[in-house]
Amino acid sequence: MNRRSFLKKSLGSLFTLLGLSGGTFYYAKDVEPILLHVNKNTVASSKIPKAFDQFKIVQFSDTHIGFHYTLEQLKELVTKINGLQADLIVFTGDLVDEPQNFHWDNTIIDILKGLQATKGKFWIYGNHDHGGYGTEVVYNVMEKAGFQLLQNSCVSIKLKDAAFNLAGIDDLMLGKPNINQTLAQVNTNLFTVLLAHEPDFADKAKNHPIDLQLSGHSHGGQIRFPFIGHLYSPAYAENYVQGKYTLNEGRFQLFVSSGIGTTRLPFRFLCKPEINMYTLKSKV
C-alpha cells in the first residue's frame, strides 16, 4: 500500500471513529494507546535444546517515539520489560517516527541502556529507522545503549553446551535485505529465529531453514472492528497483520507484534499496544 492509499484509508478510519461517538473517539485517542499489555506465547519445537526450556525472549517493536509517544513512556516501558526478567531482548524496528525531526541526545540512550537481559539485547532496522536519514544516528544510539545490530547477519545464542541461531534481516522497504547472506553461516540443525521488521517476508523466509520469525511493522492495523478486523495495514504487512501464523504444516511459526506506539494517526481501537514474550519449550 502506498502512502496515498494508506492515508486515504486512515482518514476513512478516523471518520468512522468520529461517527461512532465522542466517547469512542476519546477512548481510541487517549485511552487505548496507553493500555500496554504483555502478550505471552509458548514456542515449542523438538529442535529447541533442553537447556533452553523455559528460556524467555521478550520482543518490543515500533515505539515511534516523537509521534504521540514520549521518552517518559519509554522509561515506563523499560521498567515493564525488566519486570519480565527476559533472557533475551529483541527490538524489531522503528525506534522514532521521524529521525530527521527528532531531538537526539543522550536521554534516549540512557533509557534504553537500562534494559537488562542475561543473554543480550539485539535489534534490526525498520523502515522509519532508515528513513529521514536515520540509518547512522539510530545505529549509534542503539550501539551505545548496548544493543547488537543484526543486519543480514546471525549470531549463536549459547547456554551450557547448547545453542540456537538468532538472525536478523535488513528492512525490506528502505534497506538491502539478503536472506542468503543472513543464513550463510547458519547451522541448519539448530533452532533458528529470524527477526524481520515486515511480517510478509515470511512468504520467503518459510522456504529457508528458519523455525520462527518475529516481526512488527503492522501495528496490528491500529484500528480494528468486530467481524471486520483491521481497516488498513502498511505495505509488506498485508498478508500477516497480527498475532500467530503457522506455515509449512507447522514447521514455521510467525508472530506479528501490534507494537508499542502509533504512526500516521494517533489512534488505537481494539488493538492495544503490546510487549511480546515468547517462552521456549523443548519437545521431546
Side-chain angles (χ1 to χ4, degrees), residues 24-279:
T24 301
F25 179 81
Y26 169 76
Y27 172 81
K29 183 177 185 297
D30 296 318
V31 178
E32 187 164 306
I34 62 173
L35 295 181
L36 180 66
H37 79 292
V38 179
N39 188 341
K40 298 180 180 180
N41 293 276
T42 298
V43 177
S45 172
S46 58
K47 292 178 67 177
I48 296 173
K50 290 183 179 179
F52 284 98
D53 195 69
Q54 302 304 308
F55 186 92
K56 292 188 293 186
I57 301 174
V58 171
Q59 173 199 14
F60 71 108
S61 192
D62 300 273
T63 44
H64 286 266
I65 300 164
F67 184 78
H68 299 269
Y69 193 82
T70 67
L71 291 176
E72 191 61 37
Q73 287 175 290
L74 183 65
K75 288 182 184 178
E76 295 171 1
L77 176 66
V78 167
T79 299
K80 188 136 187 172
I81 291 176
N82 282 340
L84 298 174
Q85 297 182 312
D87 295 298
L88 186 73
I89 292 175
V90 297
F91 175 66
T92 46
D94 284 1
L95 180 64
V96 305
D97 198 64
E98 297 182 334
Q100 74 275 24
N101 295 322
F102 187 74
H103 176 65
W104 296 98
D105 60 22
N106 289 333
T107 304
I108 189 170
I109 296 172
D110 292 339
I111 295 171
L112 291 171
K113 192 182 294 183
L115 285 167
Q116 302 295 322
T118 58
K119 289 297 178 181
K121 305 183 294 189
F122 298 85
W123 75 288
I124 56 171
Y125 281 112
N127 55 301
H128 281 257
D129 301 313
H130 278 312
Y133 308 100
T135 301
E136 291 301 323
V137 66
V138 176
Y139 172 81
N140 289 333
V141 163
M142 297 300 281
E143 185 80 3
K144 290 177 182 177
F147 279 78
Q148 181 176 339
L149 174 64
L150 295 176
Q151 186 178 20
N152 298 327
S153 58
C154 181
V155 296
S156 180
I157 305 299
K158 299 178 180 179
L159 187 60
K160 298 179 181 178
D161 294 327
F164 71 85
N165 301 313
L166 179 66
I169 195 161
D170 201 2
D171 178 69
L172 270 66
M173 298 176 71
L174 298 177
K176 296 179 180 179
N178 187 325
I179 190 61
N180 292 324
Q181 176 183 327
T182 303
L183 302 176
Q185 304 301 319
V186 163
N187 179 348
T188 57
N189 293 319
L190 298 181
F191 185 77
T192 300
V193 180
L194 175 70
L195 308 181
H197 182 65
E198 289 88 354
D200 286 0
F201 188 73
D203 288 330
K204 290 185 178 180
K206 68 180 182 181
N207 299 319
H208 293 268
I210 296 166
D211 303 285
L212 172 66
Q213 177 178 315
L214 304 181
S215 297
H217 184 57
S218 70
H219 295 248
Q222 269 188 211
I223 299 171
R224 305 178 67 90
F225 288 99
F227 310 111
I228 298 174
H230 66 282
L231 298 183
Y232 62 84
S233 60
Y236 301 107
E238 296 167 304
N239 298 331
Y240 311 104
V241 179
Q242 183 187 61
K244 178 182 178 179
Y245 300 87
T246 303
L247 308 175
N248 283 4
E249 299 180 346
R251 295 188 299 275
F252 181 100
Q253 294 183 70
L254 163 67
F255 286 90
V256 185
S257 173
S258 292
I260 303 295
T262 58
T263 187
R264 309 298 188 199
L265 291 172
F267 302 98
R268 279 187 179 269
F269 188 69
L270 301 183
C271 187
K272 294 177 182 178
E274 63 182 17
I275 300 166
N276 303 82
M277 185 169 78
Y278 310 96
T279 301

